[in-house]
Amino acid sequence: MNQTSKNDNPNWWREAIIYQVYPRSFLDTNGDGVGDLAGITDRLDYIAGLGVDIVWLSPFFKSPMKDFGYDIEDYCDVDPLFGNLGDFDRLVAKAHSLGLKIMIDQVMSHTADTHAWFNESRKSRDNPKSDWYVWADPLPDGCPPNNWLSVFGGSAWQWDTRRKQYYMHNFLVSQPQLNFHNPEVQQAHLDAQRFWLERGVDGVRMDACVFHFHDRQLRSNPPALVRDTSTVTDVNPYGMQAHLYDKTQPENIAFLQRVRAQLDEFGAVSIGEVSSDDALEQMAEYTEGGDKLHMAYSFNLLTPVHTAAHIRTQVEEFNERVKDGWASWSVSNHDAIRVATRWSDGKPTPALAKLVLAMQLTLKGTPCLYQGEELGLEEADVPFELLQDPYGITFWPEFKGRDGCRTPMPWQASAPQAGFTSGQPWLPVAGPHAAVAVDRQDSDPDSPLNFARRFIAWRRTMPQLTRGEIVFFDAPEPVLALRRDVDGMDGVLAAFNLGPEPVSFDWAEAAQARALDTLGLPGSAAASRVTLPPYGAWLGSVPANAE
Ligand code: NOJ
């Protein structure tokens, strides 16, 4: 069994590792070119073999797929592309038999415009669901009621001829924003969540959870004092506003408390996706007190910036602000350029892949790994003609969207489509990915995949890494140097070279350290001199209480 049982340890999720599966691109078993639930079930042994605990499934619900499942038409059914409820039940049963927990992705903020709720709401200004979405009259000059912008480009308001009003959408025009000020909307979501909890899911990811509520007075946002480029690309004007009124509203706290109360009935856990002007603040606010979300992640490590100072600041500031809340640190996911490319200035190497895994698994917080990171996959170069992501199509060519991190998992180096499908994949298998497919890496003890397995297994034996305090040390860029401690146990020192040049530096702490060299990390220490090759790392153990 992989995980700590939730019965033994109520905080088991703090010590866990999350693995994100993007179902469209994991494994296709029916040859339609799109991954499916049966494919995930088929590869649960692989996932369990990594040593992770929780499998987060990106949305597989009924959807018109304009945003590839993040636009939901029916919260309580599986899209036929992915299978059916029976397939989901089989997936959960097998996961549980392997000691894995299943986390679904709840996209509450908005629905698809094909959802029955929206069809009804848009019919008239006085139907029973007329107030389920965010509707507003035009200004006297016909313009939208305020300056709110959509993350995916343009105004957040779309004119609807049936009601002769605007409706709000934070993302695509086809993703109308629900009105959480209406208690019926909140209840409908809680009911849908209960449907899945009763089916055996162990957790939920709360998509875009800062967007649930909007300012009832519809006040315009002021300009941003500092342009936000962490949550959106720098060619997106969305980052030019201070998002005071279109998201992060105080009413969300009470709603998250209702969600938590329901999750607690089932012993289920939650992770929130936080994208806001001060994401560390919302991560702290939403996770402290033990009565809202269990953990939250932001886009703060999904950035191109990867200096040691940046990483240190995120983790350190979160811990300073958070009291008893909890972070999850993501360095890659289905919304960001793959880290192997993003943090290597486009020159990914297996050494970098291992370094990033080791670093992510050493930070304080629950790590969330994205499918393919264990292989060190680089960002795929998807040509404009094959682009699927509407976000990328709008902002091309300066921003290419999210297709490059969503291409199929390569399973077999020599099989057609790298073993992902017997048909035509919905996104091309990236040329360089076949050579680093799972079967190739399986047979290479030095591969990122085998390193990930070893490191995860070792981490499980090190309470310092799963629940220890963290302190950082000054080291020359690009070295991230830290120590993890649990009372009464030896401390763990770690130094990560985030750059492509060798580094050597003096670290007084290292003088007393015994190298933890069983993992095959390429760094070394002689007395206080730590030497790290390009993208190298060194780990050492120091006696408890050594200063
Ligand atoms: C956040 C999800 O991670 C992203 O993929 C999606 O497009 C937006 N929310 C809208 O649901």
Side-chain angles (χ1 to χ4, degrees):
M1 295 286 276
N2 278 323
Q3 84 249 40
T4 319
S5 157
K6 60 188 176 198
N7 301 326
D8 307 340
N9 174 2
N11 283 334
W12 64 271
W13 45 274
R14 293 190 173 202
E15 300 178 23
I17 297 176
I18 305 173
Y19 182 82
Q20 180 193 358
V21 169
Y22 192 69
R24 292 185 76 87
S25 299
F26 202 59
L27 180 69
D28 172 26
T29 58
N30 65 358
D32 66 358
V34 176
D36 41 47
L37 294 183
I40 300 168
T41 308
D42 189 74
R43 295 296 146 94
L44 283 172
D45 297 288
Y46 167 81
I47 298 174
L50 294 172
V52 301
D53 306 274
I54 303 175
V55 185
W56 151 25
L57 303 173
S58 276
F60 51 81
F61 314 103
K62 194 156 188 290
S63 164
M65 301 290 166
K66 298 272 175 53
D67 191 20
F68 301 103
Y70 284 92
D71 46 334
I72 296 176
E73 182 177 309
D74 184 343
Y75 284 98
C76 297
D77 206 356
V78 173
D79 194 277
L81 253 189
F82 297 122
N84 55 38
L85 285 168
D87 293 318
F88 181 73
D89 292 340
R90 279 184 283 282
L91 188 159
V92 172
K94 180 163 175 200
H96 287 170
S97 76
L98 291 167
L100 293 169
K101 294 180 185 293
I102 294 296
M103 176 178 263
I104 58 166
D105 204 331
Q106 297 223 276
V107 188
M108 295 188 173
S109 158
H110 46 271
T111 66
D113 62 355
T114 50
H115 196 295
W117 300 343
F118 189 64
N119 284 335
E120 187 173 348
S121 187
R122 80 190 320 184
K123 270 189 190 142
S124 66
R125 295 186 185 200
D126 57 5
N127 67 72
K129 295 210 166 36
S130 57
D131 188 38
W132 276 43
Y133 292 83
V134 184
W135 292 97
D137 288 329
L139 296 176
D141 63 0
C143 284
N146 60 30
N147 70 355
W148 294 351
L149 294 173
S150 153
V151 176
F152 290 164
S155 168
W157 295 98
Q158 177 69 13
W159 182 250
D160 188 82
T161 51
R162 299 166 186 78
R163 286 178 56 144
K164 299 187 185 60
Q165 281 184 309
Y166 285 99
Y167 69 85
M168 184 194 176
H169 59 94
N170 279 301
F171 298 94
L172 294 176
V173 168
S174 58
Q175 291 169 304
Q177 174 66 35
L178 280 158
N179 175 19
F180 272 70
H181 294 289
N182 184 331
E184 291 175 8
V185 169
Q186 296 186 27
Q187 193 55 49
H189 275 316
L190 289 167
D191 293 348
Q193 183 173 78
R194 182 171 285 273
F195 171 87
W196 293 103
L197 291 169
E198 285 173 347
R199 263 200 134 79
V201 312
D202 309 286
V204 295
R205 170 193 182 255
M206 305 276 294
D207 180 76
C209 64
V210 294
F211 290 89
H212 292 156
F213 290 83
H214 64 287
D215 173 46
R216 284 183 128 141
Q217 298 175 51
L218 304 183
R219 282 171 281 188
S220 278
N221 287 324
L225 295 177
V226 180
R227 186 179 185 137
D228 173 24
T229 53
S230 66
T231 48
V232 292
T233 154
D234 60 1
V235 293
N236 187 345
Y238 187 85
M240 295 170 69
Q241 290 188 358
H243 292 274
L244 297 189
Y245 299 117
D246 50 351
K247 58 185 187 183
T248 59
Q249 298 304 292
E251 294 91 336
N252 202 24
I253 298 297
F255 176 66
L256 295 178
Q257 286 169 332
R258 295 184 69 191
V259 169
R260 177 61 177 264
Q262 175 156 283
L263 294 174
D264 282 349
E265 272 182 57
F266 293 84
V269 297
S270 53
I271 179 168
E273 179 206 34
V274 165
S275 55
S276 60
D277 297 353
D278 186 357
L280 296 177
E281 183 64 26
Q282 265 73 51
M283 283 169 67
E285 187 187 11
Y286 288 4
T287 62
E288 66 196 11
D291 62 346
K292 296 173 282 294
L293 299 177
H294 294 76
M295 46 194 158
Y297 77 89
S298 67
F299 285 67
N300 293 20
L301 294 187
L302 293 165
T303 49
V305 186
H306 59 284
T307 57
H310 175 73
I311 296 168
R312 172 179 178 169
T313 304
Q314 304 314 309
V315 179
E316 218 164 42
E317 268 197 32
F318 176 76
N319 287 320
E320 275 162 21
R321 293 198 210 178
V322 76
K323 303 191 194 95
D324 58 353
W326 196 252
S328 168
W329 297 112
S330 283
V331 297
S332 264
N333 68 19
H334 67 296
D335 287 328
I337 293 173
R338 284 203 180 263
V339 69
T341 301
R342 187 165 25 90
W343 284 8
S344 70
D345 300 325
K347 298 184 198 75
T349 66
L352 170 68
K354 294 184 208 175
L355 169 89
V356 171
L357 281 162
M359 188 211 70
Q360 195 186 358
L361 292 163
T362 304
L363 296 178
K364 181 182 176 187
T366 301
C368 184
L369 308 179
Y370 177 49
Q371 69 182 42
E373 292 307 297
E374 72 278 19
L375 305 176
L377 294 186
E378 62 183 81
E379 178 80 352
D381 192 10
V382 182
F384 183 75
E385 317 76 74
L386 298 181
L387 276 200
Q388 304 286 329
D389 180 15
Y391 190 14
I393 292 169
T394 301
F395 286 97
W396 180 274
E398 298 304 326
F399 170 70
K400 298 180 178 176
R402 302 164 297 175
D403 291 322
C405 65
R406 297 176 175 180
T407 58
M409 267 290 278
W411 294 102
Q412 294 165 278
S414 307
Q417 310 300 351
F420 164 69
T421 178
S422 58
Q424 266 309 107
W426 74 286
L427 277 173
V429 175
H433 285 188
V436 294
V438 171
D439 65 345
R440 281 273 167 88
Q441 297 209 24
D442 253 338
S443 55
D444 172 4
D446 288 334
S447 65
L449 174 59
N450 280 319
F451 175 79
R453 289 170 175 150
R454 277 197 304 276
F455 201 97
I456 290 171
W458 174 74
R459 180 182 186 271
R460 202 171 283 289
T461 67
M462 301 296 291
Q464 297 94 324
L465 298 196
T466 51
R467 56 187 156 87
E469 287 310 322
I470 192 166
V471 285
F472 291 91
F473 294 83
D474 293 335
E477 281 289 350
V479 175
L480 184 71
L482 60 90
R483 173 172 167 154
R484 302 289 313 270
D485 281 294
V486 165
D487 274 350
M489 299 186 81
D490 288 354
V492 173
L493 297 182
F496 302 102
N497 176 6
L498 291 148
E501 305 296 333
V503 187
S504 147
F505 68 104
D506 283 316
W507 187 10
E509 296 259 328
Q512 312 157 48
R514 177 175 56 82
L516 292 164
D517 52 8
T518 51
L519 298 160
L521 287 166
S524 61
S528 63
R529 192 84 187 154
V530 177
T531 301
L532 303 171
Y535 300 124
W538 171 83
L539 290 175
S541 162
V542 278
N545 304 322
E547 291 300 315

